[in-house]
Amino acid sequence: MKTPKIILYVVLILSLLQGACIVACTAHYPVYPKEGSVDPQLQYQVAAKLTKALSDEVLVVLCFSGGGTRAASLSYGVLEALQAIDLPARPTQAQSQTPSKKTLLDEVKVIMSVSGGSFTAAYYGLHGKDIFKSFRKEFLLRDVQGDLFWRAMNPFNWPWIFAAQFGRSDFAQEYYDEILFKGATLGDMIRKEGPLINILSTDAIEGISFSFVPSQFNLLCSDYDRFPVSRAVTASSAFPGPFTPIVLKNYAGHCDYKVPEWVKKAVEKRDLSSRVYWMASSLYLYSDAIAKPYIYLIDGGISDNLGVRGLVESVAGQGGLRSVMAQSGLSGVRKVAFVIVDAQTRIQQEIMIGDIPGLGFVLGSSYTIMINRNNFDTVDLLQRYIQDWEKEDIAAGRKPLDVYIVHLSFDSLPDKKERDYFHGIHTTLSLPEEQVDRLRDVAVRLLYSNAEFRKLITDIGVNIPVKTGRPDQAPAMPTPGQKQEMR
């Protein structure tokens, strides 16, 4: 008796789905082997990135906030703006003594990044200034959100998405790897020329920032070198709900790494009123794989949407900015600039007559309020620590470091219509070309018009370009009701 064709088709589809499920539960589920010892070369790479080709007086730290493609575009625009500022030529060590041409972007030695900003930071960490050739097309203008949606709607992908050991974030990671990162690992990135890229996520249990740097992985006795860049960026942008947590296994105790002394001292001191104590006690938990066998990572913006708080508290725990710089071989640096690229938006109030706001509005506004309030507190915390360190220098008879806090946000825009326009750009992974390019343009204007940045520029003796539009010289879209005064 012949089998009806419809049954054969059903059997074929079920076989394909079963095969996909088998693949999803084996090859696609990420397993990271533990490392038996700490690799000192990785820490050497960190130190080399901080000190190589550093000028005698200035260190620039960039902090890229979360905010989807909006944040990625704004961060990209700041990179363009820094690249457009030429530094005075200095002779090289080569026999020819040919002056080397550098820009202010070359003085950036650290980039802290969260969520949407991590796409820009990681791509720059891998490709350097080639980012200006391809990132706009490869990511900023790509409908990432639409691509992920339609891939999720493909029935052949359902076994992967719903597999017990393959979450929605694993699905997104594969896509990011395909379009941007091409299998690159954190080890590949840290060996590239350029700044130290510190991608930040949030430990969903402890509520603190998790840094994708060698020292963090050494604490877990985990393999930093072979960890995919795409997975770090996915963890940084894994907003709870649409994306699942990224899970890391803790192998602490299986290598010869020792907990940093400042962490042990803070834990032993047990000062419950100290921010450093609470951060140190959370980090100390990582050293006990029995008490904390797994780490669950979600969007970095949950703990710190500016990528500043963890850095500042860690510096404070190690004795302050001057102490950390001395330990990092940066004793000769006199000027430190924190450029905070803040893509936060505000709730756009709509007129409602007697209507009760829906769940979407309540959840969205609650998250926005939390992020905005945390952003204000984070910048205030940085300013307070800087003031405390200045007082310590003065008390010790030392000249304080010159510290510049360059906070770029849409709230700084003088024109209300323009502020409303940028505050109204949604947090998605898909934006129209006009919005992407307007974000790039406003990043340049925000940076060049910032009073602290202009002070830095004056103090180091360089000039802001006369033409202060985007470096690609594409005409910027005018803001409604505003003239293009900075052209």
Side-chain angles (χ1 to χ4, degrees):
M1 183 176 69
K2 294 184 177 180
T3 305
K5 289 185 177 180
I6 185 65
I7 295 179
L8 291 176
Y9 290 150
V10 171
V11 171
L12 177 61
I13 291 174
L14 290 175
S15 298
L16 288 172
L17 291 176
Q18 182 181 20
C21 186
I22 292 172
V23 172
C25 296
T26 55
H28 288 274
Y29 179 55
V31 178
Y32 299 106
K34 63 186 179 185
E35 53 179 33
S37 61
V38 175
D39 185 354
Q41 288 300 314
L42 293 177
Q43 285 300 120
Y44 171 78
Q45 291 290 341
V46 172
K49 280 181 171 290
L50 293 176
T51 57
K52 187 175 182 180
L54 186 68
S55 76
D56 293 334
E57 59 173 20
V58 63
L59 168 69
V60 180
V61 178
L62 299 183
C63 301
F64 292 165
S65 82
T69 301
R70 182 184 69 250
S73 300
L74 194 68
S75 300
Y76 179 76
V78 168
L79 294 180
E80 291 182 299
L82 294 172
Q83 173 62 10
I85 299 177
D86 292 325
L87 295 178
R90 294 177 299 163
T92 65
Q93 297 300 317
Q95 292 182 352
S96 64
Q97 293 295 299
T98 302
S100 59
K101 182 180 179 181
K102 296 180 64 178
T103 70
L104 192 54
L105 183 57
D106 294 307
E107 298 299 274
V108 174
K109 294 306 172 187
V110 180
I111 300 180
M112 313 289 292
S113 69
V114 175
S115 198
S118 291
F119 289 95
T120 306
Y123 198 88
Y124 180 64
L126 287 169
H127 299 280
K129 294 181 181 180
D130 283 346
I131 190 175
F132 304 125
K133 300 177 182 178
S134 54
F135 186 68
R136 178 175 177 272
K137 177 182 178 182
E138 295 297 324
F139 183 77
L140 298 180
L141 299 184
R142 188 187 292 268
D143 184 7
V144 173
Q145 194 155 302
D147 287 352
L148 288 173
F149 174 80
W150 288 114
R151 287 189 177 208
M153 291 296 100
N154 186 340
F156 286 96
N157 290 329
W158 292 350
W160 295 0
I161 296 174
F162 297 108
Q165 293 182 316
F166 190 89
R168 294 182 296 279
S169 288
D170 299 295
F171 185 71
Q173 177 203 333
E174 290 192 345
Y175 173 72
Y176 301 151
D177 206 50
E178 176 186 322
I179 66 169
L180 285 179
F181 303 117
K182 314 297 183 183
T185 67
L186 294 178
D188 295 330
M189 186 166 67
I190 204 168
R191 293 182 177 90
K192 295 280 187 179
E193 294 286 336
L196 172 67
I197 308 297
N198 189 347
I199 297 168
L200 299 170
S201 186
T202 297
D203 183 322
I205 305 299
E206 307 305 325
I208 62 171
S209 292
F210 181 95
S211 300
F212 284 89
V213 292
S215 58
Q216 183 81 70
F217 276 69
N218 287 343
L219 193 57
L220 305 177
C221 291
S222 189
D223 192 348
Y224 173 90
D225 205 0
R226 288 183 285 174
F227 196 92
V229 173
S230 59
R231 194 161 182 79
V233 172
T234 303
S236 182
S237 57
F239 188 79
F243 298 100
T244 50
I246 292 292
V247 183
L248 301 184
K249 184 169 174 55
N250 190 354
Y251 296 107
H254 291 267
C255 65
D256 56 357
Y257 184 74
K258 292 180 174 57
V259 175
E261 196 62 30
W262 73 269
V263 173
K264 293 199 307 187
K265 287 182 178 179
V267 171
E268 291 170 359
K269 189 175 181 181
R270 193 172 169 74
D271 181 358
L272 300 181
S273 64
S274 168
R275 292 178 180 272
V276 173
Y277 165 74
W278 288 109
M279 180 179 184
S281 61
S282 296
L283 288 174
Y284 195 74
L285 284 176
Y286 292 135
S287 65
D288 188 346
I290 296 176
K292 193 173 181 65
Y294 294 96
I295 295 92
Y296 302 94
L297 300 177
I298 56 177
D299 193 300
I302 302 297
S303 57
D304 175 13
N305 198 49
L306 297 181
V308 176
R309 185 180 295 268
L311 171 66
V312 173
E313 291 179 344
S314 176
V315 169
Q318 297 175 70
L321 185 59
R322 186 181 292 274
S323 175
V324 170
M325 291 177 65
Q327 295 171 34
S328 303
L330 303 174
S331 299
V333 174
R334 301 298 314 153
K335 295 176 173 55
V336 181
F338 293 91
V339 180
I340 303 170
V341 186
D342 182 358
Q344 79 169 31
T345 57
R346 295 195 178 277
I347 302 167
Q348 300 297 299
Q349 185 171 346
E350 298 177 0
I351 298 177
M352 295 182 293
I353 304 176
D355 291 340
I356 298 176
L359 179 61
F361 174 84
V362 173
L363 291 177
S365 62
S366 298
Y367 178 74
T368 301
I369 290 170
M370 178 186 71
I371 290 294
N372 292 355
R373 184 63 188 176
N374 284 345
N375 286 356
F376 173 82
D377 289 341
T378 297
V379 176
D380 182 63
L381 177 68
L382 174 60
Q383 292 172 336
R384 289 175 182 272
Y385 269 123
I386 295 300
Q387 291 171 2
D388 289 343
W389 294 331
E390 287 179 349
K391 291 177 182 176
E392 290 175 5
D393 281 339
I394 293 172
R398 297 187 298 257
K399 181 181 178 182
L401 297 171
D402 295 325
V403 181
Y404 308 80
I405 301 176
V406 182
H407 183 200
L408 311 179
S409 74
F410 301 136
D411 287 328
S412 303
L413 295 169
D415 185 270
K416 183 180 183 302
K417 289 184 178 180
E418 189 174 26
R419 288 198 305 272
D420 290 344
Y421 172 82
F422 288 107
H423 283 152
I425 297 179
H426 297 296
T427 303
T428 69
L429 290 175
S430 176
L431 291 179
E433 183 175 1
E434 175 190 345
Q435 287 187 342
V436 167
D437 286 339
R438 287 185 67 172
L439 285 161
R440 293 168 58 207
D441 177 69
V442 80
V444 179
R445 291 192 286 120
L446 285 172
L447 183 67
Y448 289 174
S449 63
N450 182 275
E452 277 287 286
F453 183 74
R454 297 184 77 89
K455 183 174 185 298
L456 169 67
I457 289 299
T458 300
D459 290 349
I460 63 177
V462 297
N463 299 311
I464 291 177
V466 175
K467 178 181 174 59
T468 55
R470 296 197 310 270
D472 62 2
Q473 300 190 17
M477 301 295 293
T479 302
Q482 184 184 40
K483 297 180 180 179
Q484 297 185 40
E485 298 176 353
M486 301 191 70
R487 286 286 175 269

